[in-house]
Amino acid sequence: MKIKRKFGRFNSISTKLVFTYFLIMIITLFLFSYYVVSSMKTYLYDDEKLNVTTTSNVVASFAADYIDSETGELDKERFTAFINGIGVDPRMRVMVLGKDITVLYDSQNNRNLLGTAQVRASVISAVNGVDGFKQYENGDFVTLDASAPILNSDGEVIGVLNIVYVPDSAAKFIDAIMTEILFLVIVILLLVGIIIFIVANLVSKRIVDFTSKITSMSDDGILDEKFDISGHDEISRLGEAFNTMSEKVVNLEKQRVQFVSDASHELKTPLSSIKLMADSIIQTPDINVEYVREFMTDINNEVDRLNRIVNKLLYITKMDVRSEEDDKHFELISLNDIVQGIEKNLQPVAKKADITLVFSTPGEIFLMANKDVLWQGIYNIVDNAIKYTDTDGYVLVAMEQTGGNVVIEVRDNGVGISAEERDKIFDRFYRVDKARSRETGGTGLGLSIALGAVKYHNGRIELESEEGKGSTFKIILPDVVPERAEEDKNEENI
Ligand code: ADP
C-alpha cells in the first residue's frame, strides 16, 4: 500500500510537471551556457588573433633585412635591438626560423629552442609562402600560433617569423560571468519552479477532488456528488459533464426505486384482496355455495389482473433491453396490416361498450418498423381511447404520410385529460382515475409501453385534450424511405 502511494505521488501530475520543467530548464541552461562560453571565447580571442597575425606579418616584412640571403644566417644582435626597439608585446614569443624551420632566434631564451626544428602547422604553411595560423586550447588556456614567411627582395622564402602567444586567460572572466549567470538561473529556476509547483498542485488538487467524488459515487454509492465549478477550463467542463451525469444517475436511481415500490404496491393490492377473500371462505363455516362462487369469481378477476400486470412488466423489461440493443430489428411493413389487426381485436370491445370505432385508411402506407413493437404501441392508445370514452361516444383512428413522417391519429370524445395530468400519464403506473382504470382492467402501464414503442422507432407522441370533451393522441414516426434503406444496405455491402 505504502509503495503504491509512493508511486502514486511520483505519478502525480504535479510531480510530472515539475520534473519535466526541471528537465527542460536544465537542458536549456546547458545549451545556453555552452553557447555563451563559446561565443565569448570567439569574441574575446578574435582581437588577439588579429593582433598576433598582424604583428607576425609586420615583423616578418622587416626580418629579411637581418638575414643574410646567401648564408641564411641571422644577425641576432641587430635583430634583438630591432625587436626591443619596436616594442613587441613581451608576452608574445617571437621566433625566427630558417628555411629548414630550425630556430635561429627566440625572444624567450629560457626554454632554449635554438637549433630545434619546429614542425608546426603554422610554420609549415609559412615556409611554403602562405601565412599560417593555429589556435590551440589547453584547459583554461588558449595558445595562438601565427607564422609569416620572410621573403627576400626576389620574393623567395628565406625564413619564417613565428609568434606564439598565450593571452591572459579569459577563463577567469568567463567564470565570473558564469557565476553570475548561474546565480541568476538558480533564482529563476526556484521562482518558476515554485510557481509551477503551486499551479500544478492546484490543477492536480482539482483532479484528486474529482477522482474522490467519482470513487465515492462508484464505491460508496453516493450518487448525488457534485463538482464545484470554478472557471471555464477543460477541468471545469469535465466537472459540468460529471454534474450532468450525476443528476441523470440520481434521476434514474429515483425512477428505479419508484418503479420497484410502485410495482410492489400494484402487485400487493390484488394479492391482499385474494388473501382476504380466501380467508373469508376458509373462516366461514357452512358457507353458502353462491358466496363461494362469488368470491372465487372475484379471486379469478384479481388473478387475471395480476397476470396482466406481470405480463406488462415483463414486456417493459424486454423493451428496455431491446432499446439498448444497437441492432433494432426493422423490416418493411404495411401499416394498414397493423391497423386492420387492431381493428379486428378492438371492434368487439367497442361494440360491447356502445362506442363507434372508425378506422380511416386512405391508401397503403409502408414503413420500416418492428411490427410487434409498433402493434403494441398503437393498440394501447386505441384501447385507452375506448376505455376512457363513455357509451355512445366515438373513437376515430386515421393515418397519413406527410412531410417525411407517418402520423397515426387516435381521436376520441371521451373523458379527456387535464393540462396538469398530460405529462404524468406516460409515467409507469400513473392513472388519473384509479377507479375507472381498475374497472376497465387498466394497470397504469399501457401509455408508458406505447411511448417506449414509439421511441423505439425514433418517433414521438403529441397529445391534445380537453377535460370532458375528448383527447387526440398523435403518433409521429419518421418515414424512413425503404429505397434509401436498401441503397444504404447495398453501399455497405460494396
Ligand atoms: P391504464 O392501464 O390505467 O389505462 P395507461 O398508462 O394506459 O394506464 O394510461 C394512464 C392513464 O392515462 C389512464 O389511467 C387514464 O387516466 C389516462 N388516459 C389514457 N388514455 C386516455 C384517453 N384516451 N382519455 C382519457 N384519459 C386517458
Side-chain angles (χ1 to χ4, degrees), residues 314-364:
L314 284 174
Y315 189 82
I316 285 178
T317 322
K318 214 164 85 187
M319 276 288 295
D320 283 349
V321 174
R322 272 199 210 170
S323 301
E324 278 167 18
E325 282 172 11
D326 293 337
D327 185 21
K328 294 180 179 174
H329 299 289
F330 283 5
E331 56 183 336
L332 189 64
I333 55 153
S334 155
L335 189 59
N336 303 57
D337 283 354
I338 295 187
V339 169
Q340 274 157 19
I342 293 173
E343 183 178 11
K344 214 171 154 193
N345 270 264
L346 290 179
Q347 203 57 270
V349 182
K351 243 187 202 131
K352 212 171 158 195
D354 278 332
I355 289 168
T356 315
L357 176 60
V358 182
F359 282 80
S360 154
T361 47
E364 191 91 345

Short mmCIF file of all heavy atoms in Angstrom, two decimals, residues 314-364:
data_model
loop_
_atom_site.label_atom_id
_atom_site.label_comp_id
_atom_site.label_asym_id
_atom_site.label_seq_id
_atom_site.Cartn_x
_atom_site.Cartn_y
_atom_site.Cartn_z
N LEU A 314 -43.11 -7.66 -17.64
CA LEU A 314 -42.14 -8.46 -18.42
C LEU A 314 -41.90 -7.80 -19.77
O LEU A 314 -40.78 -7.73 -20.26
CB LEU A 314 -42.66 -9.88 -18.62
CG LEU A 314 -42.55 -10.80 -17.39
CD1 LEU A 314 -43.21 -12.14 -17.65
CD2 LEU A 314 -41.08 -11.01 -17.01
N TYR A 315 -43.02 -7.30 -20.37
CA TYR A 315 -42.91 -6.65 -21.68
C TYR A 315 -42.01 -5.42 -21.60
O TYR A 315 -41.15 -5.18 -22.45
CB TYR A 315 -44.30 -6.27 -22.19
CG TYR A 315 -44.27 -5.79 -23.62
CD1 TYR A 315 -44.27 -6.71 -24.67
CD2 TYR A 315 -44.22 -4.44 -23.92
CE1 TYR A 315 -44.22 -6.28 -25.99
CE2 TYR A 315 -44.16 -4.00 -25.22
CZ TYR A 315 -44.16 -4.92 -26.26
OH TYR A 315 -44.11 -4.49 -27.55
N ILE A 316 -42.25 -4.62 -20.50
CA ILE A 316 -41.45 -3.40 -20.32
C ILE A 316 -39.97 -3.75 -20.20
O ILE A 316 -39.11 -3.13 -20.84
CB ILE A 316 -41.92 -2.64 -19.06
CG1 ILE A 316 -43.24 -1.96 -19.35
CG2 ILE A 316 -40.88 -1.62 -18.61
CD1 ILE A 316 -43.84 -1.22 -18.17
N THR A 317 -39.66 -4.76 -19.40
CA THR A 317 -38.24 -5.16 -19.22
C THR A 317 -37.64 -5.56 -20.57
O THR A 317 -36.52 -5.19 -20.90
CB THR A 317 -38.15 -6.36 -18.25
OG1 THR A 317 -39.11 -6.17 -17.22
CG2 THR A 317 -36.78 -6.50 -17.66
N LYS A 318 -38.45 -6.33 -21.33
CA LYS A 318 -37.96 -6.79 -22.64
C LYS A 318 -37.69 -5.59 -23.55
O LYS A 318 -36.67 -5.52 -24.23
CB LYS A 318 -39.03 -7.69 -23.27
CG LYS A 318 -38.42 -8.81 -24.10
CD LYS A 318 -39.43 -9.88 -24.38
CE LYS A 318 -40.27 -9.53 -25.59
NZ LYS A 318 -41.37 -10.45 -25.83
N MET A 319 -38.60 -4.59 -23.49
CA MET A 319 -38.46 -3.39 -24.32
C MET A 319 -37.21 -2.60 -23.93
O MET A 319 -36.50 -2.09 -24.79
CB MET A 319 -39.68 -2.48 -24.15
CG MET A 319 -40.83 -2.86 -25.01
SD MET A 319 -40.52 -2.46 -26.73
CE MET A 319 -40.45 -0.68 -26.62
N ASP A 320 -36.98 -2.51 -22.60
CA ASP A 320 -35.80 -1.76 -22.14
C ASP A 320 -34.53 -2.38 -22.70
O ASP A 320 -33.64 -1.69 -23.17
CB ASP A 320 -35.73 -1.77 -20.60
CG ASP A 320 -36.73 -0.78 -20.01
OD1 ASP A 320 -37.27 0.02 -20.79
OD2 ASP A 320 -36.95 -0.82 -18.78
N VAL A 321 -34.49 -3.72 -22.66
CA VAL A 321 -33.30 -4.41 -23.18
C VAL A 321 -33.19 -4.18 -24.68
O VAL A 321 -32.15 -3.85 -25.21
CB VAL A 321 -33.37 -5.93 -22.86
CG1 VAL A 321 -32.22 -6.67 -23.51
CG2 VAL A 321 -33.37 -6.13 -21.36
N ARG A 322 -34.36 -4.30 -25.38
CA ARG A 322 -34.35 -4.15 -26.85
C ARG A 322 -33.88 -2.76 -27.26
O ARG A 322 -33.14 -2.60 -28.21
CB ARG A 322 -35.77 -4.34 -27.39
CG ARG A 322 -36.08 -5.78 -27.69
CD ARG A 322 -37.26 -5.77 -28.62
NE ARG A 322 -38.05 -6.95 -28.45
CZ ARG A 322 -39.24 -7.09 -29.01
NH1 ARG A 322 -39.76 -6.12 -29.70
NH2 ARG A 322 -39.92 -8.20 -28.84
N SER A 323 -34.35 -1.74 -26.51
CA SER A 323 -33.98 -0.36 -26.87
C SER A 323 -32.49 -0.13 -26.72
O SER A 323 -31.92 0.72 -27.37
CB SER A 323 -34.72 0.63 -25.99
OG SER A 323 -36.09 0.44 -26.16
N GLU A 324 -31.86 -0.89 -25.81
CA GLU A 324 -30.41 -0.72 -25.62
C GLU A 324 -29.62 -1.39 -26.73
O GLU A 324 -28.47 -1.06 -26.97
CB GLU A 324 -29.99 -1.31 -24.27
CG GLU A 324 -30.27 -0.33 -23.13
CD GLU A 324 -30.16 -0.98 -21.78
OE1 GLU A 324 -29.56 -2.06 -21.69
OE2 GLU A 324 -30.68 -0.40 -20.81
N GLU A 325 -30.26 -2.37 -27.39
CA GLU A 325 -29.54 -3.07 -28.46
C GLU A 325 -29.29 -2.10 -29.61
O GLU A 325 -30.16 -1.32 -29.98
CB GLU A 325 -30.39 -4.23 -28.99
CG GLU A 325 -30.37 -5.45 -28.09
CD GLU A 325 -31.38 -6.48 -28.57
OE1 GLU A 325 -31.92 -6.35 -29.67
OE2 GLU A 325 -31.60 -7.42 -27.79
N ASP A 326 -28.09 -2.17 -30.19
CA ASP A 326 -27.79 -1.29 -31.31
C ASP A 326 -28.55 -1.72 -32.55
O ASP A 326 -29.03 -0.93 -33.33
CB ASP A 326 -26.28 -1.33 -31.62
CG ASP A 326 -25.51 -0.72 -30.47
OD1 ASP A 326 -26.12 0.07 -29.74
OD2 ASP A 326 -24.33 -1.05 -30.32
N ASP A 327 -28.68 -3.02 -32.65
CA ASP A 327 -29.25 -3.57 -33.86
C ASP A 327 -30.75 -3.80 -33.67
O ASP A 327 -31.19 -4.83 -33.19
CB ASP A 327 -28.51 -4.90 -34.14
CG ASP A 327 -28.95 -5.49 -35.44
OD1 ASP A 327 -29.46 -4.74 -36.27
OD2 ASP A 327 -28.77 -6.72 -35.61
N LYS A 328 -31.56 -2.78 -34.05
CA LYS A 328 -33.01 -2.94 -33.92
C LYS A 328 -33.52 -3.70 -35.13
O LYS A 328 -33.04 -3.48 -36.24
CB LYS A 328 -33.66 -1.56 -33.84
CG LYS A 328 -33.28 -0.81 -32.58
CD LYS A 328 -33.94 0.55 -32.56
CE LYS A 328 -33.57 1.29 -31.29
NZ LYS A 328 -34.05 2.66 -31.28
N HIS A 329 -34.51 -4.55 -34.88
CA HIS A 329 -34.97 -5.38 -36.00
C HIS A 329 -36.12 -4.70 -36.73
O HIS A 329 -37.27 -4.84 -36.35
CB HIS A 329 -35.36 -6.77 -35.50
CG HIS A 329 -34.20 -7.48 -34.89
ND1 HIS A 329 -33.16 -7.94 -35.64
CD2 HIS A 329 -33.90 -7.73 -33.61
CE1 HIS A 329 -32.26 -8.48 -34.85
NE2 HIS A 329 -32.68 -8.36 -33.59
N PHE A 330 -35.78 -3.94 -37.76
CA PHE A 330 -36.79 -3.25 -38.56
C PHE A 330 -36.95 -3.98 -39.90
O PHE A 330 -35.98 -4.52 -40.43
CB PHE A 330 -36.34 -1.80 -38.85
CG PHE A 330 -36.50 -0.87 -37.68
CD1 PHE A 330 -36.92 -1.34 -36.44
CD2 PHE A 330 -36.24 0.48 -37.81
CE1 PHE A 330 -37.07 -0.49 -35.36
CE2 PHE A 330 -36.39 1.35 -36.74
CZ PHE A 330 -36.80 0.86 -35.50
N GLU A 331 -38.18 -3.94 -40.40
CA GLU A 331 -38.40 -4.50 -41.74
C GLU A 331 -39.47 -3.66 -42.42
O GLU A 331 -40.17 -2.87 -41.76
CB GLU A 331 -38.84 -5.97 -41.63
CG GLU A 331 -40.07 -6.14 -40.78
CD GLU A 331 -40.48 -7.58 -40.60
OE1 GLU A 331 -40.12 -8.41 -41.45
OE2 GLU A 331 -41.17 -7.88 -39.62
N LEU A 332 -39.60 -3.84 -43.71
CA LEU A 332 -40.63 -3.07 -44.43
C LEU A 332 -41.98 -3.70 -44.14
O LEU A 332 -42.22 -4.86 -44.46
CB LEU A 332 -40.31 -3.11 -45.93
CG LEU A 332 -41.17 -2.19 -46.77
CD1 LEU A 332 -40.94 -0.74 -46.42
CD2 LEU A 332 -40.89 -2.42 -48.25
N ILE A 333 -42.86 -2.90 -43.51
CA ILE A 333 -44.18 -3.47 -43.15
C ILE A 333 -45.29 -2.56 -43.66
O ILE A 333 -45.07 -1.38 -43.94
CB ILE A 333 -44.32 -3.63 -41.62
CG1 ILE A 333 -44.06 -2.28 -40.93
CG2 ILE A 333 -43.45 -4.71 -41.07
CD1 ILE A 333 -44.76 -2.14 -39.64
N SER A 334 -46.49 -3.14 -43.72
CA SER A 334 -47.65 -2.34 -44.13
C SER A 334 -48.37 -1.89 -42.86
O SER A 334 -48.78 -2.71 -42.03
CB SER A 334 -48.58 -3.20 -45.00
OG SER A 334 -49.88 -2.68 -44.92
N LEU A 335 -48.50 -0.56 -42.72
CA LEU A 335 -49.18 -0.02 -41.54
C LEU A 335 -50.65 -0.45 -41.56
O LEU A 335 -51.25 -0.68 -40.51
CB LEU A 335 -49.05 1.51 -41.56
CG LEU A 335 -49.51 2.24 -40.32
CD1 LEU A 335 -48.75 1.80 -39.09
CD2 LEU A 335 -49.37 3.75 -40.50
N ASN A 336 -51.20 -0.59 -42.77
CA ASN A 336 -52.61 -1.00 -42.89
C ASN A 336 -52.83 -2.36 -42.25
O ASN A 336 -53.85 -2.58 -41.59
CB ASN A 336 -53.02 -1.04 -44.37
CG ASN A 336 -52.80 0.28 -45.04
OD1 ASN A 336 -51.69 0.79 -45.04
ND2 ASN A 336 -53.85 0.87 -45.59
N ASP A 337 -51.85 -3.26 -42.42
CA ASP A 337 -51.99 -4.60 -41.83
C ASP A 337 -52.11 -4.49 -40.31
O ASP A 337 -52.95 -5.14 -39.68
CB ASP A 337 -50.75 -5.45 -42.15
CG ASP A 337 -50.79 -5.96 -43.58
OD1 ASP A 337 -51.83 -5.73 -44.24
OD2 ASP A 337 -49.78 -6.57 -44.02
N ILE A 338 -51.26 -3.65 -39.73
CA ILE A 338 -51.26 -3.49 -38.28
C ILE A 338 -52.61 -2.94 -37.82
O ILE A 338 -53.27 -3.48 -36.92
CB ILE A 338 -50.12 -2.53 -37.82
CG1 ILE A 338 -48.76 -3.15 -38.13
CG2 ILE A 338 -50.25 -2.20 -36.35
CD1 ILE A 338 -47.59 -2.38 -37.59
N VAL A 339 -53.02 -1.86 -38.50
CA VAL A 339 -54.26 -1.19 -38.09
C VAL A 339 -55.48 -2.13 -38.25
O VAL A 339 -56.36 -2.18 -37.38
CB VAL A 339 -54.43 0.10 -38.92
CG1 VAL A 339 -55.81 0.69 -38.76
CG2 VAL A 339 -53.38 1.12 -38.48
N GLN A 340 -55.47 -2.92 -39.33
CA GLN A 340 -56.60 -3.87 -39.53
C GLN A 340 -56.61 -4.92 -38.42
O GLN A 340 -57.67 -5.30 -37.91
CB GLN A 340 -56.49 -4.54 -40.89
CG GLN A 340 -57.13 -3.72 -41.99
CD GLN A 340 -56.59 -4.06 -43.37
OE1 GLN A 340 -56.00 -5.13 -43.56
NE2 GLN A 340 -56.76 -3.14 -44.29
N GLY A 341 -55.44 -5.37 -38.03
CA GLY A 341 -55.34 -6.37 -36.95
C GLY A 341 -55.90 -5.81 -35.65
O GLY A 341 -56.66 -6.48 -34.93
N ILE A 342 -55.55 -4.55 -35.38
CA ILE A 342 -56.02 -3.91 -34.14
C ILE A 342 -57.55 -3.74 -34.21
O ILE A 342 -58.26 -3.98 -33.23
CB ILE A 342 -55.31 -2.55 -33.94
CG1 ILE A 342 -53.81 -2.79 -33.66
CG2 ILE A 342 -55.92 -1.77 -32.79
CD1 ILE A 342 -52.95 -1.55 -33.60
N GLU A 343 -58.03 -3.35 -35.39
CA GLU A 343 -59.48 -3.16 -35.56
C GLU A 343 -60.23 -4.46 -35.26
O GLU A 343 -61.22 -4.48 -34.54
CB GLU A 343 -59.77 -2.69 -37.00
CG GLU A 343 -61.25 -2.41 -37.21
CD GLU A 343 -61.57 -1.90 -38.61
OE1 GLU A 343 -60.67 -1.95 -39.48
OE2 GLU A 343 -62.70 -1.45 -38.81
N LYS A 344 -59.67 -5.54 -35.79
CA LYS A 344 -60.29 -6.86 -35.59
C LYS A 344 -60.38 -7.18 -34.10
O LYS A 344 -61.37 -7.70 -33.61
CB LYS A 344 -59.42 -7.90 -36.30
CG LYS A 344 -60.22 -9.04 -36.89
CD LYS A 344 -59.31 -9.88 -37.74
CE LYS A 344 -59.84 -11.28 -37.82
NZ LYS A 344 -58.86 -12.18 -38.36
N ASN A 345 -59.34 -6.84 -33.36
CA ASN A 345 -59.29 -7.14 -31.93
C ASN A 345 -60.20 -6.24 -31.11
O ASN A 345 -60.82 -6.69 -30.16
CB ASN A 345 -57.86 -6.94 -31.41
CG ASN A 345 -57.04 -8.20 -31.50
OD1 ASN A 345 -56.92 -8.93 -30.54
ND2 ASN A 345 -56.48 -8.47 -32.68
N LEU A 346 -60.24 -4.95 -31.49
CA LEU A 346 -60.92 -4.00 -30.60
C LEU A 346 -62.36 -3.65 -31.01
O LEU A 346 -63.11 -3.08 -30.21
CB LEU A 346 -60.09 -2.72 -30.47
CG LEU A 346 -58.79 -2.90 -29.68
CD1 LEU A 346 -58.00 -1.60 -29.62
CD2 LEU A 346 -59.08 -3.36 -28.24
N GLN A 347 -62.75 -3.99 -32.26
CA GLN A 347 -64.13 -3.67 -32.68
C GLN A 347 -65.16 -4.33 -31.74
O GLN A 347 -66.09 -3.64 -31.30
CB GLN A 347 -64.32 -4.14 -34.14
CG GLN A 347 -65.42 -3.45 -34.91
CD GLN A 347 -65.31 -1.94 -34.99
OE1 GLN A 347 -65.86 -1.26 -34.11
NE2 GLN A 347 -64.64 -1.42 -36.00
N PRO A 348 -64.97 -5.61 -31.36
CA PRO A 348 -65.93 -6.23 -30.44
C PRO A 348 -65.98 -5.51 -29.08
O PRO A 348 -67.06 -5.35 -28.51
CB PRO A 348 -65.40 -7.65 -30.26
CG PRO A 348 -64.48 -7.89 -31.39
CD PRO A 348 -63.95 -6.57 -31.80
N VAL A 349 -64.80 -5.05 -28.60
CA VAL A 349 -64.75 -4.35 -27.31
C VAL A 349 -65.53 -3.05 -27.40
O VAL A 349 -66.31 -2.70 -26.50
CB VAL A 349 -63.27 -4.06 -26.91
CG1 VAL A 349 -63.19 -3.38 -25.55
CG2 VAL A 349 -62.44 -5.32 -26.93
N ALA A 350 -65.32 -2.32 -28.51
CA ALA A 350 -66.02 -1.05 -28.69
C ALA A 350 -67.52 -1.28 -28.79
O ALA A 350 -68.31 -0.53 -28.19
CB ALA A 350 -65.50 -0.36 -29.96
N LYS A 351 -67.88 -2.31 -29.54
CA LYS A 351 -69.31 -2.62 -29.72
C LYS A 351 -69.96 -2.88 -28.37
O LYS A 351 -71.04 -2.37 -28.07
CB LYS A 351 -69.44 -3.86 -30.60
CG LYS A 351 -70.16 -3.52 -31.86
CD LYS A 351 -70.48 -4.69 -32.73
CE LYS A 351 -70.65 -4.11 -34.13
NZ LYS A 351 -69.90 -4.84 -35.10
N LYS A 352 -69.25 -3.64 -27.52
CA LYS A 352 -69.77 -4.01 -26.21
C LYS A 352 -70.03 -2.75 -25.37
O LYS A 352 -70.98 -2.71 -24.59
CB LYS A 352 -68.73 -4.89 -25.49
CG LYS A 352 -69.35 -5.90 -24.58
CD LYS A 352 -68.28 -6.86 -24.10
CE LYS A 352 -68.72 -7.52 -22.80
NZ LYS A 352 -67.58 -8.14 -22.15
N ALA A 353 -69.19 -1.73 -25.57
CA ALA A 353 -69.34 -0.51 -24.80
C ALA A 353 -70.17 0.54 -25.54
O ALA A 353 -70.24 1.70 -25.11
CB ALA A 353 -67.95 0.05 -24.49
N ASP A 354 -70.77 0.11 -26.63
CA ASP A 354 -71.57 1.03 -27.46
C ASP A 354 -70.78 2.25 -27.92
O ASP A 354 -71.23 3.40 -27.81
CB ASP A 354 -72.84 1.50 -26.70
CG ASP A 354 -73.94 0.46 -26.81
OD1 ASP A 354 -73.94 -0.27 -27.82
OD2 ASP A 354 -74.74 0.36 -25.86
N ILE A 355 -69.62 1.98 -28.40
CA ILE A 355 -68.77 3.08 -28.89
C ILE A 355 -68.52 2.84 -30.38
O ILE A 355 -68.26 1.70 -30.79
CB ILE A 355 -67.43 3.13 -28.11
CG1 ILE A 355 -67.71 3.64 -26.69
CG2 ILE A 355 -66.41 4.03 -28.80
CD1 ILE A 355 -66.58 3.47 -25.75
N THR A 356 -68.59 3.90 -31.16
CA THR A 356 -68.35 3.76 -32.60
C THR A 356 -66.84 3.84 -32.85
O THR A 356 -66.21 4.86 -32.53
CB THR A 356 -69.05 4.89 -33.38
OG1 THR A 356 -70.35 5.03 -32.85
CG2 THR A 356 -69.07 4.61 -34.86
N LEU A 357 -66.30 2.79 -33.37
CA LEU A 357 -64.86 2.77 -33.65
C LEU A 357 -64.66 2.82 -35.17
O LEU A 357 -65.08 1.93 -35.89
CB LEU A 357 -64.24 1.49 -33.06
CG LEU A 357 -62.77 1.24 -33.32
CD1 LEU A 357 -61.90 2.36 -32.76
CD2 LEU A 357 -62.33 -0.10 -32.70
N VAL A 358 -64.07 3.92 -35.66
CA VAL A 358 -63.93 4.10 -37.10
C VAL A 358 -62.45 4.15 -37.48
O VAL A 358 -61.65 4.83 -36.82
CB VAL A 358 -64.60 5.42 -37.56
CG1 VAL A 358 -64.49 5.58 -39.07
CG2 VAL A 358 -66.03 5.46 -37.11
N PHE A 359 -62.10 3.41 -38.50
CA PHE A 359 -60.72 3.44 -38.99
C PHE A 359 -60.69 4.08 -40.37
O PHE A 359 -61.45 3.69 -41.24
CB PHE A 359 -60.15 2.01 -39.07
CG PHE A 359 -59.73 1.49 -37.73
CD1 PHE A 359 -60.67 0.98 -36.83
CD2 PHE A 359 -58.40 1.51 -37.33
CE1 PHE A 359 -60.29 0.51 -35.59
CE2 PHE A 359 -58.02 1.04 -36.10
CZ PHE A 359 -58.96 0.55 -35.22
N SER A 360 -59.88 5.07 -40.53
CA SER A 360 -59.80 5.73 -41.84
C SER A 360 -58.41 5.46 -42.42
O SER A 360 -57.40 5.94 -41.92
CB SER A 360 -60.04 7.23 -41.65
OG SER A 360 -59.42 7.95 -42.66
N THR A 361 -58.38 4.63 -43.48
CA THR A 361 -57.09 4.27 -44.10
C THR A 361 -57.15 4.61 -45.58
O THR A 361 -57.60 3.80 -46.39
CB THR A 361 -56.81 2.76 -43.92
OG1 THR A 361 -57.99 2.04 -44.27
CG2 THR A 361 -56.45 2.42 -42.50
N PRO A 362 -56.71 5.84 -45.93
CA PRO A 362 -56.86 6.30 -47.31
C PRO A 362 -56.12 5.44 -48.32
O PRO A 362 -56.65 5.07 -49.35
CB PRO A 362 -56.30 7.72 -47.28
CG PRO A 362 -55.58 7.87 -45.99
CD PRO A 362 -55.98 6.77 -45.09
N GLY A 363 -54.89 5.10 -48.07
CA GLY A 363 -54.14 4.28 -49.04
C GLY A 363 -53.20 3.37 -48.27
O GLY A 363 -53.15 3.40 -47.05
N GLU A 364 -52.42 2.61 -49.03
CA GLU A 364 -51.49 1.69 -48.36
C GLU A 364 -50.26 2.48 -47.91
O GLU A 364 -49.67 3.23 -48.70
CB GLU A 364 -51.08 0.61 -49.38
CG GLU A 364 -50.35 -0.55 -48.78
CD GLU A 364 -51.27 -1.68 -48.34
OE1 GLU A 364 -52.49 -1.46 -48.25
OE2 GLU A 364 -50.75 -2.79 -48.08
#
